[in-house]
Amino acid sequence: MIPAAFDYVAPTTVDSAVRALAEAGDEAKVIAGGQSLLPVLRMRLAAPTKLIDLGRIPEMRGVRDGGDHLVIGAMTTHYDVQRDPLVAEHAELIKLATDTVADPQVRHRGTFGGSLAHADPAGDLLAPALALDARFIVSGMDGRRTVSAADFFVDFFTTALHQAEILVEVHVPKHTGWTAHYEKFQRVAQAWSIVGVAATVRAEAGKIAEARIALTNMASVPIRATAVEDALIGKQATAENIKSAAEHAAEGTSPTTDGNADPAYRQHLARVLTSRALTAAAGV
Ligand code: FAD
């Protein structure tokens, strides 16, 4: 199918994009890489009468050093995130999860902010953003506000963004010296996660001093596996301790049933993948 007719504008500043969005009301949508929105339009699951293209706004692109955090522009493509040296050094978990997103074609068009704003629970970048306590900078007619990762994801495909707000950039606290791994289970290569686990740890003298673990597709939003984190702190980084802590991974989860898996299978996957992710992250 082809999409319903729409008007198209391509502003060059965040302020003009916000204004265009506010003026057009509920009938408008912003488009980033179009990798999720265009299929939705083609299937006529949505029919906005106006598309506001964010692709010509330079201030929304790129990664920069913000001191104790990285600033990742919402329009930075997956390809650029993957190759950014600051991301590799200070937020390795995001680089590793981005490596698993789709294929090179999608990674050249799809954007970091588009993935987060789309809020697909199977999307691979939501759990790393949650695990690293990212902060979302959103812009609307009343100016900018900051939303924590814990508050940004509200439900399936639903975020804390108001109708006339745009996600401008994401601040990711530096986790320099932490080691990380993203473990993803998928039925076919280049697909979304059936379940994914984002894990990053900081070790001191062979013991786990800090751990952050978040799960993909184990609820309508990404969730932290805090019971696993608590079970690990202060323990020697051994295969046995990791396996025992990972047994807590499905606690508090509410996964759905779909054509790929039922809740019990997803909970089994969460335990197995958490063990694998932590083993790789801790270098055991
Ligand atoms: P768009 O499609 O342009 O927009 C998506 C939604 O977010 C729209 O509703 C739009 O209005 C809104 N939006 C976008 N940017 C903003 C913003 N800055 N502020 C406010 N709202 C905004 N993803 C994975 O995580 N893992 C995968 O394995 C994976 N596999 C894929 C395979 C294929 C074949 C395809 C086509 C996509 C796949 N994706 C996967 C999705 C991909 O990561 C997309 O890039 C992402 O979902 C959407 O990013 P986008 O920039 O294309 O956003």
Side-chain angles (χ1 to χ4, degrees):
M1 280 172 76
I2 57 169
F6 53 79
D7 289 334
Y8 172 88
V9 289
T12 54
T13 65
V14 169
D15 288 349
S16 50
V18 167
R19 215 173 311 116
L21 193 54
E23 281 166 9
D26 286 346
E27 299 301 308
K29 258 195 157 327
V30 298
I31 181 163
Q35 298 301 292
S36 296
L37 184 59
L38 286 178
V40 167
L41 300 188
R42 289 182 61 137
M43 288 185 278
R44 303 230 177 169
L45 296 172
T49 54
K50 188 168 203 168
L51 280 192
I52 296 154
D53 188 346
L54 303 178
R56 296 193 191 156
I57 305 179
E59 67 189 286
M60 289 182 69
R61 273 187 196 277
V63 179
R64 61 176 202 276
D65 196 328
D68 63 351
H69 61 275
L70 297 184
V71 180
I72 306 182
M75 285 300 293
T76 311
T77 62
H78 301 314
Y79 178 85
D80 286 340
V81 167
Q82 269 186 298
R83 276 154 190 77
D84 192 277
L86 288 172
V87 174
E89 184 179 356
H90 302 296
E92 190 192 11
L93 186 55
I94 288 186
K95 184 228 174 318
L96 296 174
T98 307
D99 287 345
T100 76
V101 170
D103 51 40
Q105 288 93 329
V106 172
R107 292 198 294 268
H108 272 277
R109 296 291 312 172
T111 65
F112 186 62
S115 290
L116 298 171
H118 190 53
D120 182 340
D124 291 297
L125 304 179
L126 286 60
L130 180 68
L132 297 179
D133 266 342
R135 300 183 296 275
F136 294 68
I137 313 302
V138 309
S139 186
M141 289 301 280
D142 296 330
R144 296 197 174 189
R145 65 187 179 106
T146 303
V147 184
S148 69
D151 292 333
F152 187 78
F153 304 108
V154 173
D155 206 342
F156 294 100
F157 300 97
T158 307
T159 68
L161 282 170
H162 299 146
Q163 190 277 327
E165 281 185 328
I166 289 173
L167 175 61
V168 177
E169 59 195 29
V170 180
H171 294 185
V172 182
K174 286 182 180 173
H175 283 70
T176 320
W178 290 55
T179 51
H181 188 74
Y182 186 71
E183 186 76 19
K184 167 172 174 172
F185 184 78
Q186 58 198 156
R187 278 165 66 110
V188 291
Q190 302 161 355
W192 286 260
S193 281
I194 294 172
V195 174
V197 177
T200 187
V201 298
R202 189 175 64 77
E204 266 176 24
K207 288 188 177 169
I208 309 273
E210 291 180 89
R212 290 171 163 270
I213 301 145
L215 310 175
T216 300
N217 220 3
M218 287 298 292
S220 61
V221 293
I223 44 174
R224 281 277 288 277
T226 48
V228 181
E229 296 172 0
D230 292 346
L232 277 175
I233 305 302
K235 299 270 169 53
Q236 292 287 341
T238 64
E240 201 172 287
N241 285 339
I242 285 173
K243 192 162 187 298
S244 151
E247 285 304 308
H248 298 284
E251 287 175 15
T253 63
S254 50
T256 52
T257 297
D258 58 21
N260 291 313
D262 64 12
Y265 184 46
R266 280 204 158 86
Q267 291 183 326
H268 166 73
L269 284 174
R271 289 186 283 268
V272 172
L273 300 180
T274 298
S275 181
R276 287 184 195 165
L278 283 167
T279 301
V284 176

